[in-house]
Amino acid sequence: MTTQQVLLLLLLWMWLPHPCRTEMLFRRTPDLRPKSFVGRASGNDGKVIHRQKRGWMWNQFFLLEEYTGSDYQYVGKLHSDQDKGDGSLKYILSGDGAGTLFIIDEKTGDIHATRRIDREEKAFYTLRAQAINRRTLRPVEPESEFVIKIHDINDNEPTFPEKIYTASVPEMSVVGTSVVQVTATDADDPSYGNSARIIYSILQGQPYFSVEPETGIIRTALPNMNRENREQYQVVIQAKDMGGQMGGLSGTTTVNITLTDVNDNPPRFPQSTIHLRIPESSPVGTAIGSVKATDADTGKNAEVEYRIIDGDGTDMFDIMTQKDTQEGIITVRKPLDYETRRLYTLKVEAENTHVDPRFYYLGPFKDTTIVKISVEDVDEPPVFSRSSYLFEVHEDIELGTIIGTVMARDPDSASSPIRFSLDRHTDLDRIFNIHSGNGSIYTSKPLDREISQWHNLSVIAAEINNPKDTTRVPVYVRILDVNDNAPQFAVFYDTFVCENARAGQLIQTISAVDKDDPLGGQKFFFSLAAVNPNFTVQDNEDNTARILTRRNGFSRHEISTYLLPVVISDNDYPIQSSTGTLTIRVCACDSQGNMQSCSAEALLLPAGLSTGALVAILLCIVILLVIVVLFAALKRQRKKEPLILSKEDIRDNIVSYNDEGGGEEDTQAFDIGTLRNPAAIEDKKLRRDIIPETLFVPRRTPSAPDNTDVRDFINQRLKEHDTDPSAPPYDSLATYAYEGNDSIAESLSSLESGTTEGDQNYDYLREWGPRFNKLAEMYGGGESDKDTS
């Protein structure tokens, strides 16, 4: 804080009433009426209202902000007239900051501020005070409210919301044109003194700009400020409180001001004459070069439109404006020819498209320049006399005939000989050829209009001195028609005549086609090659003819097919004709003339029997034959079956061994004597189709007498079945019919037990397994029975 500010604060302190010297005494209001007097009033409800008499009054306290003393700042004193000074009363403080910011001495009522107070944080504080009896804690005075108001001092400088402002103003503006307004704020109390009264001044930016002291509006101070001379300005504005007086606080801000462009400068060409060159071979639309007029302005104020306003090349050249570069692009409008003209002169004008009427006085906003264009000579390719050629030729001309000639020349001043050639990609069959010197096109192969009516050729012309520089021209060759094709039947005709046909009946309508295309259109004539007794041809004179019968009735049995030669002639020169043969079949038809059958084999079949019915009959016959063959095969198979369960079969008698029958004399089934053959030798070969199974280890016993005759018979039959492919792969015949020589069980019958000597031992039956346990019990217990007898 400066010395001036300290002195100002001291003067202010002397002028203001000091709260620390003021003692607020709160006395009872004098009452002239008797003490017993009580004012009465009746309320709405009829009750008597008593008005209380106030015992003390509160006044407003004032406190200076930003106190810098070491002790608590004294605010003021509260005192009640009920206070006798004996310490019987207690003062209580409540409200904003009570107990923290403001404290009260409960005995004396002195109020102090505990810290420095900033008015900008809070301008006043509202508190409540009360005096109570210390012993009874009852209030001796009603609670009252008072305010502590903070007196302001100039402790805040003016501030701007922005450190840097940006503004703009059009160039060439008049003096006093408003640019921008800046406003500063001061946190001090504007209602107390001049602490918040701000005055603006300009510290930097003179003499170009000025500022209004009260409003902060920045204005232009010089006339005709030109953007092209200077575009950017920096202005520093100061805001000072205390009305700008000495000792006031201040703040500054910076304003960057830009002069915006206006169209106050016309376009100007940097040169009065511009020279350009262009090769004569440049195609139409080629850009020759560009011209540009400079303009000191920017943006739309610098936009320029170019045009050709005069000169001898106005019809040969165009100019267009390039918007992004503001250039005038000159292009070729028509083909150039060095040999015709070598120099062109143009007058080009450039004019602003957006003109400000305020600056008309600065002159016309346009400028002109002269553009000279020189045409350069180039070695040009040959030029054909036509852009395309069309030749017509008849298809019957002789080989080597010239159909046409193309012509080309060298457009350069120094004329060079021309060489012609055909592009073989356009004549792959090499039908044509060209004379390289004079451009005559002739045929090298026969022409055929019916194969190709048009030929599109491409002829190449090149300078002999510069063969790389070539020119092409299309040549169209049209082949004209000559009557060299005879007419023929239009389609293949499948013709038939009914057996019951009558004379004069129409059986077929024929037509013809011709590959030729005469100018007057096709005209055909139909006739027979020779007189036919069966059929005739009647020309309809509309390129069709009818085939009619000449007699009644035809027979398939006699002749099934007739051949009818028909002569077809055209009407062009020279006349061409051909003979087409119709094949006419004789068919059976119904009463309406609808064909039913045309084959001769159908005569052998019953009438009305269709092909489908014949196929069905043949299929049934084949099925019956297959059934018969299968039945015969099954019957033959049954005859060879080895196991037939018939009582007449000997094997069945052998299987039924439990029926002994009548012995050898029982010949009901067969003669057993035929089985006996003592000379037979047993064949012990094993069957290949039987796998022997050994259930137990055989026990060797003396062999029984062999019945070789029965055994030989059985073995013989086994051999027969082994060689028989129809026999089953098993044989149950040998299982019971013959026991063999190696039977270890011998006979199990008890018929011969009486003839045996001694007792037989059947203990081995127990070794055969659980199936023979019952036999072992029956025969193995003989000795035990004997012992008990």
Side-chain angles (χ1 to χ4, degrees):
M1 188 177 293
T2 62
T3 307
Q4 295 177 351
Q5 292 176 342
V6 172
L7 293 175
L8 183 60
L9 289 176
L10 291 176
L11 290 174
L12 215 70
W13 180 263
M14 294 174 62
W15 293 339
L16 293 176
H18 294 276
C20 57
R21 300 187 202 167
T22 305
E23 180 180 307
M24 297 300 177
L25 299 179
F26 303 93
R27 301 180 177 83
R28 292 187 181 275
T29 304
D31 193 359
L32 301 178
R33 291 174 296 178
K35 207 169 191 179
S36 61
F37 174 79
V38 179
R40 298 177 178 267
S42 61
N44 296 332
D45 55 359
K47 295 182 180 180
V48 178
I49 299 175
H50 298 274
R51 186 175 60 186
Q52 296 289 341
K53 184 172 57 176
R54 293 190 56 84
W56 57 358
M57 293 179 60
W58 304 103
N59 292 333
Q60 184 173 350
F61 294 108
F62 295 92
L63 185 64
L64 192 65
E65 70 170 333
E66 302 297 343
Y67 173 70
T68 57
S70 58
D71 297 333
Y72 289 165
Q73 186 178 4
Y74 182 72
V75 178
K77 182 180 182 63
L78 299 179
H79 185 72
S80 174
D81 56 0
Q82 297 292 330
D83 189 0
K84 306 300 184 180
D86 54 359
S88 61
L89 295 183
K90 179 180 180 181
Y91 295 95
I92 300 174
L93 188 66
S94 62
D96 294 340
T100 55
L101 179 58
F102 300 103
I103 58 175
I104 188 172
D105 190 334
E106 62 180 15
K107 292 182 179 181
T108 62
D110 293 329
I111 302 173
H112 290 81
T114 59
R115 60 178 175 83
R116 185 171 59 181
I117 298 175
D118 188 359
R119 188 204 65 84
E120 284 69 37
E121 293 181 3
K122 194 175 180 64
F124 62 90
Y125 296 85
T126 302
L127 295 94
R128 294 180 299 275
Q130 190 176 32
I132 63 174
N133 189 290
R134 188 182 297 273
R135 183 175 58 83
T136 63
L137 300 179
R138 292 183 178 180
V140 298
E141 296 286 353
E143 186 179 54
S144 296
E145 186 177 83
F146 66 97
V147 175
I148 300 178
K149 187 175 182 181
I150 310 302
H151 272 312
D152 181 48
I153 63 172
N154 189 18
D155 57 346
N156 292 279
E157 69 276 1
T159 58
F160 290 92
E162 300 290 340
K163 292 294 183 182
I164 297 177
Y165 289 86
T166 301
S168 62
V169 63
E171 64 173 333
M172 309 298 290
S173 296
V174 297
V175 175
T177 301
S178 175
V179 180
V180 70
Q181 181 178 13
V182 294
T183 304
T185 59
D186 197 322
D188 293 326
D189 188 2
S191 62
Y192 183 78
N194 294 326
S195 298
R197 184 186 173 195
I198 299 174
I199 297 297
Y200 300 93
S201 60
I202 184 168
L203 301 182
Q204 178 181 328
Q206 295 174 334
Y208 307 103
F209 300 95
S210 63
V211 63
E212 292 184 357
E214 301 291 338
T215 62
I217 297 176
I218 301 175
R219 299 182 182 274
T220 58
L222 285 181
N224 301 326
M225 286 193 294
N226 197 342
R227 185 198 65 84
E228 288 72 32
N229 296 332
R230 182 176 177 182
E231 184 177 5
Q232 298 289 338
Y233 295 87
Q234 190 177 72
V235 178
V236 178
I237 301 297
Q238 174 184 263
K240 189 175 184 181
D241 59 12
M242 297 298 293
Q245 297 178 6
M246 185 179 296
L249 304 179
S250 63
T252 60
T253 188
T254 301
V255 182
N256 292 327
I257 301 175
T258 302
L259 295 183
T260 58
D261 185 56
V262 297
N263 193 5
D264 58 342
N265 294 280
R268 292 289 179 263
F269 282 105
Q271 298 174 348
S272 60
T273 303
I274 300 173
H275 293 273
L276 298 176
R277 295 180 178 274
I278 181 70
E280 63 172 334
S281 60
S282 299
V284 174
T286 302
I288 302 173
S290 63
V291 295
K292 185 175 183 180
T294 59
D295 194 326
D297 298 322
T298 60
K300 69 176 184 179
N301 296 319
E303 291 182 2
V304 178
E305 187 71 27
Y306 296 91
R307 65 179 67 92
I308 298 174
I309 60 175
D310 198 4
D312 53 12
T314 55
D315 59 337
M316 299 295 296
F317 302 96
D318 280 332
I319 189 169
M320 62 179 182
T321 303
Q322 193 77 19
K323 295 297 183 182
D324 53 347
T325 61
Q326 291 300 309
E327 292 180 330
I329 308 299
I330 301 175
T331 59
V332 178
R333 186 176 182 182
K334 292 182 179 181
L336 302 175
D337 187 5
Y338 173 81
E339 288 72 25
T340 303
R341 186 161 190 162
R342 304 180 181 183
L343 181 64
Y344 294 91
T345 302
L346 305 175
K347 187 176 183 180
V348 178
E349 180 184 71
E351 183 180 11
N352 281 138
T353 56
H354 300 87
V355 180
D356 194 337
R358 297 177 300 170
F359 304 104
Y360 279 154
Y361 67 93
L362 295 178
F365 285 82
K366 63 177 68 174
D367 195 14
T368 59
T369 187
I370 301 299
V371 179
K372 293 186 176 183
I373 301 174
S374 299
V375 180
E376 297 179 344
D377 186 25
V378 239
D379 189 6
E380 299 177 82
V383 177
F384 284 95
S385 60
R386 300 181 192 174
S387 59
S388 64
Y389 293 86
L390 173 63
F391 301 134
E392 293 183 344
V393 60
H394 287 89
E395 59 179 329
D396 61 345
I397 62 172
E398 297 180 0
L399 295 180
T401 302
I402 295 176
I403 64 172
T405 303
V406 296
M407 299 179 62
R409 64 177 180 85
D410 185 6
D412 297 324
S413 54
S415 181
S416 175
I418 305 298
R419 178 185 178 88
F420 299 95
S421 62
L422 274 176
D423 185 354
R424 289 303 174 184
H425 292 90
T426 61
D427 184 27
L428 296 176
D429 297 330
R430 295 182 176 270
I431 299 175
F432 303 95
N433 212 334
I434 189 171
H435 192 283
S436 61
N438 58 22
S440 299
I441 300 175
Y442 56 91
T443 59
S444 59
K445 288 184 179 180
L447 301 178
D448 190 350
R449 188 200 69 86
E450 286 69 40
I451 295 177
S452 179
Q453 186 175 355
W454 286 91
H455 295 273
N456 300 326
L457 308 177
S458 180
V459 177
I460 303 172
E463 295 180 13
I464 295 178
N465 298 332
N466 186 13
K468 293 183 179 180
D469 224 353
T470 62
T471 304
R472 293 172 178 263
V473 68
V475 177
Y476 306 104
V477 181
R478 181 182 180 183
I479 310 301
L480 301 179
D481 185 39
V482 174
N483 192 25
D484 56 349
N485 291 278
Q488 298 177 348
F489 282 132
V491 294
F492 173 78
Y493 294 101
D494 185 12
T495 309
F496 71 93
V497 61
C498 296
E499 288 182 312
N500 57 357
R502 297 184 178 275
Q505 184 174 342
L506 174 65
I507 63 174
Q508 184 70 61
T509 299
I510 60 175
S511 63
V513 292
D514 194 335
K515 294 182 180 179
D516 295 322
D517 187 15
L519 296 177
Q522 298 284 4
K523 180 64 178 177
F524 301 123
F525 300 96
F526 301 88
S527 62
L528 292 179
V531 177
N532 192 296
N534 301 309
F535 306 96
T536 184
V537 175
Q538 183 178 356
D539 197 331
N540 296 328
E541 297 183 358
D542 59 354
N543 292 339
T544 63
R546 297 187 296 171
I547 308 298
L548 305 175
T549 58
R550 296 189 64 181
R551 66 183 177 87
N552 296 329
F554 295 86
S555 175
R556 286 181 292 167
H557 184 68
E558 296 177 359
I559 300 177
S560 62
T561 303
Y562 292 91
L563 299 178
L564 183 64
V566 179
V567 179
I568 311 172
S569 304
D570 58 20
N571 195 31
D572 205 359
Y573 180 82
I575 295 176
Q576 301 286 342
S577 64
S578 67
T579 300
T581 302
L582 282 177
T583 302
I584 304 175
R585 296 181 298 160
V586 180
C587 301
C589 304
D590 58 12
S591 58
Q592 284 78 25
N594 299 320
M595 182 183 66
Q596 292 182 338
S597 175
C598 294
S599 60
E601 290 77 2
L603 296 173
L604 303 177
L605 298 175
L609 193 60
S610 63
T611 303
L614 292 176
V615 173
I617 292 172
L618 291 176
L619 185 60
C620 291
I621 293 173
V622 171
I623 293 174
L624 289 175
L625 290 175
V626 171
I627 292 174
V628 170
V629 172
L630 291 176
F631 182 77
L634 290 175
K635 188 174 182 180
R636 181 174 178 273
Q637 182 70 20
R638 288 181 180 180
K639 288 182 179 181
K640 293 185 179 182
E641 177 64 43
L643 294 178
I644 301 177
L645 298 178
S646 173
K647 293 183 179 180
E648 313 246 337
D649 198 323
I650 186 171
R651 290 173 294 180
D652 192 47
N653 289 328
I654 296 173
V655 172
S656 303
Y657 66 93
N658 55 347
D659 185 7
E660 296 180 358
E664 293 181 358
E665 296 179 359
D666 187 0
T667 58
Q668 184 179 358
F670 53 85
D671 187 5
I672 195 68
T674 60
L675 300 175
R676 300 186 181 278
N677 187 5
I681 299 175
E682 182 181 3
D683 189 358
K684 295 186 179 181
K685 288 185 179 181
L686 297 178
R687 291 285 300 274
R688 290 174 298 171
D689 58 344
I690 298 177
I691 299 177
E693 296 180 3
T694 303
L695 299 177
F696 53 85
V697 178
R699 186 175 177 182
R700 296 290 180 179
T701 58
S703 61
D706 294 338
N707 294 327
T708 57
D709 52 353
V710 178
R711 180 183 62 188
D712 182 63
F713 171 77
I714 294 173
N715 289 332
Q716 184 179 357
R717 294 299 301 274
L718 288 174
K719 289 180 180 180
E720 292 177 0
H721 284 80
D722 286 343
T723 57
D724 187 4
S726 63
Y730 57 85
D731 188 9
S732 62
L733 184 64
T735 306
Y736 307 107
Y738 177 65
E739 294 181 356
N741 294 331
D742 295 331
S743 176
I744 62 174
E746 297 182 353
S747 177
L748 297 179
S749 175
S750 61
L751 297 178
E752 298 181 356
S753 61
T755 62
T756 58
E757 297 180 0
D759 297 333
Q760 295 183 10
N761 185 8
Y762 297 98
D763 292 339
Y764 62 87
L765 294 175
R766 299 182 183 276
E767 301 174 2
W768 290 3
R771 294 183 179 181
F772 298 91
N773 288 341
K774 189 64 176 177
L775 289 175
E777 292 176 2
M778 292 174 62
Y779 293 94
E783 294 182 358
S784 62
D785 294 339
K786 188 182 294 186
D787 293 340
T788 58
S789 59

